[in-house]
């Protein structure tokens, strides 16, 4: 993972990365306001969230890794990847595992996220201090709004009305009205606010504060931080169980995964994984937690740990590539997708076989990753024009 200064160009390839061996570092951005990029949505009421089918059980594979046609088919949609050093988003056809379109013009996109209803794609620009929204089907640009300093991650509420960004240098979260593209609240959280996710019912946001040892809990109805949960050194990202009972946090400073009971807001378990774990994701059936182990550029991690969610035991370790960072699972639960920061590609994992069945080259330093049920047709690349974002403004509309 790397950080982008709000007032400087994205560092050249292999420069300015934040991770040292065994630890996750935070680069402090200079003055300036961060903005998030929203990729298209119209002004109508958001559609209901896309239902998530149950996933098959992922059993340890016995056969050799393969890329047979039957392993690669059956998934319809788009895998979105944020190429942070290149300033682009790659759209991968989930049925063919080929890049069908590249969106440029968003400098320093640390994270990309599809809304729960699948209709919009969001990205944050660490360079411009902004959030951007695009339409998932047409890729029309809906609007751009300022965030806080050095935004890292963005998520959208289940009802589609609010987006939340972490602003790392300020230790805050911005709440954005998705229709007006205005920041409606700036919420203080912990030091080095980094990864965040909403509870399945949308009532709370859990924020991983990588500069400390805590998760901040935000009440979304009040837009206030209501609790701090001690979990361990340098939590980088969180992931909820499908029923919202537990939240899991990657502890990048101690190579572990933590488990928190949401009702009591207490740490109830932990397990060692790989070196410098970053993103984590729970399979749709709730049985496994996937943890991407990035390591450092000098000593890259190359694996994803598969953790039994109930027993909190590592049941498999999958070789994916150098600098395994971002991870997402498609709704049917058959495939997972992992960004390899130092290999500039995405590994496709067959979760039945627990093996990599494809590698997809993308842009420089692929970081965040998200899945959309909306296919993107192959065609010419798209260059966005980022409008000027006032540091004290509430955002820009269409």
């Amino acid at each position: 993972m790397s950080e982008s200064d709000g007032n400087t160009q994205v560092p050249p390839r292999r420069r300015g990365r934040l991770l040292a061996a065994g630890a996750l570092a935070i680069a402090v951005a200079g003055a300036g306001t961060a903005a998030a990029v929203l990729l298209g949505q119209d002004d109508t009421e958001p559609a209901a969230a896309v239902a998530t089918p149950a996933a098959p059980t992922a059993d340890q594979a016995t056969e050799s890794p393969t890329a047979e046609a039957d392993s690669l088919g059956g998934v319809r949609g788009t895998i979105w990847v944020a190429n942070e050093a290149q300033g682009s988003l790659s759209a991968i056809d989930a049925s063919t595992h080929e890049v069908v379109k590249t969106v440029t013009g968003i400098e320093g996109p640390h994270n990309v996220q599809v809304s729960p209803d699948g209709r919009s794609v969001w990205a944050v620009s660490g360079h411009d201090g902004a959030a951007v929204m695009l339409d998932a089907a047409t890729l029309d640009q809906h609007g751009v709004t300022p965030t806080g300093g050095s935004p890292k991650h963005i998520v959208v509420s289940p009802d589609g009305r609010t987006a939340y960004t972490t602003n790392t240098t300020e230790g805050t979260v911005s709440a954005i009205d998705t229709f007006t593209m205005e920041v409606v609240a700036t919420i203080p959280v912990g030091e080095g606010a980094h990864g965040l996710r909403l509870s399945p019912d949308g009532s709370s946001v859990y924020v991983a504060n990588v500069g400390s040892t805590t998760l901040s809990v935000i009440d979304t109805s009040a837009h206030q931080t209501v609790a701090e949960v001690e979990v361990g050194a340098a939590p980088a990202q969180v992931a909820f169980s499908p029923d919202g009972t537990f939240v899991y946090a990657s502890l990048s400073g101690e190579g572990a995964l933590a488990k928190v009971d949401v009702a009591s807001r207490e740490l109830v378990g932990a397990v060692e994984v790989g070196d410098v774990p970053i993103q984590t994701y729970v399979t749709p059936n709730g049985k496994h937690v996937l943890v991407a182990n990035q390591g450092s550029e000098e000593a890259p991690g190359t694996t994803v740990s598969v953790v039994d969610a109930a027993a909190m035991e590592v049941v498999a370790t999958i070789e994916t590539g150098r600098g395994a960072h971002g991870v997402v699972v498609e709704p049917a639960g058959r495939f997972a997708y992992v960004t390899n920061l130092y290999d500039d590609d995405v590994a496709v994992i067959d979760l039945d076989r627990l093996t990599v069945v494809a590698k997809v080259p993308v842009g420089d330093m692929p970081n965040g990753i998200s899945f959309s049920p909306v296919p993107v047709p192959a065609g010419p690349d798209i260059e966005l024009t980022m409008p000027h974002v006032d540091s004290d403004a509430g955002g820009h509309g269409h």
Side-chain angles (χ1 to χ4, degrees), residues 161-205:
R161 294 181 178 276
T162 310
Y164 299 88
T165 69
T166 48
N167 309 310
T168 298
T169 58
E170 298 173 4
T172 63
V173 167
S174 296
I176 302 166
D177 184 303
T178 63
F179 295 104
T180 65
M181 291 300 287
E182 295 179 349
V183 174
V184 295
T186 300
I187 307 160
V189 287
E191 183 179 355
H194 190 260
L196 80 169
R197 290 218 170 99
L198 282 132
S199 60
D201 64 3
S203 65
S204 61
V205 177

Side-chain angles (χ1 to χ4, degrees), residues 12 63 140 142 145 152 158 162 179 225 259 284 296 300 340:
E63 64 265 44
D140 290 338
H142 172 67
T145 192
K152 289 297 171 282
T162 310
F179 295 104
T225 298
K259 181 178 184 179
S296 67
N340 295 315

